[in-house]
Amino acid sequence: MTSPNVAAGCAAPDQSAPVPAHVDLNRETVLTGIVQNADGEPVGGAYVRLLDSTGEFTAEVVSSPEGVFRFFAAPGSWTLRALSRSGNGEVVVDATVGVNEVGLSVSPA
């Protein structure tokens, strides 16, 4: 059985839940955003991958039904790649300490 804080089929916490209160945003780096299709609609169930500056896979989460995703990472250059039924997309982010809001659009191949 899946707990209410875990996306179905994925061990990652619910991506649309608030950032936990114990997270110190003056010291931690959070990459968060919404996966959207070409019409600007949220894409739930997208696999969002976090790749380091060399392109190596680091982590993956499934976007919430509202398209929300979140990663906790170190400051630096990261690539976010979304794979979904609506299409794929990618964006490079230079993350800093605190919350880094990222728009991630997907389009059919």
Side-chain angles (χ1 to χ4, degrees):
M1 179 178 209
T2 303
S3 74
N5 291 333
V6 176
C10 179
D14 178 2
Q15 297 300 294
S16 58
V19 173
H22 71 275
V23 174
D24 182 354
L25 294 176
N26 293 313
R27 296 177 43 171
E28 306 219 24
T29 302
V30 180
L31 300 168
T32 187
I34 298 175
V35 179
Q36 295 180 321
N37 64 19
D39 295 325
E41 299 167 336
V43 177
Y47 291 92
V48 183
R49 295 181 178 168
L50 181 66
L51 309 173
D52 70 14
S53 61
T54 68
E56 289 294 316
F57 174 87
T58 302
E60 181 176 78
V61 296
V62 177
S63 63
S64 73
E66 299 80 21
V68 177
F69 64 89
R70 179 184 310 135
F71 292 100
F72 294 87
S77 181
W78 295 95
T79 298
L80 294 167
R81 182 175 296 153
L83 308 168
S84 74
R85 291 183 178 157
S86 298
N88 303 328
E90 183 174 296
V91 64
V92 175
V93 179
D94 289 319
T96 58
V97 172
V99 175
N100 296 262
E101 294 280 341
V102 181
L104 185 50
S105 298
V106 297
S107 58

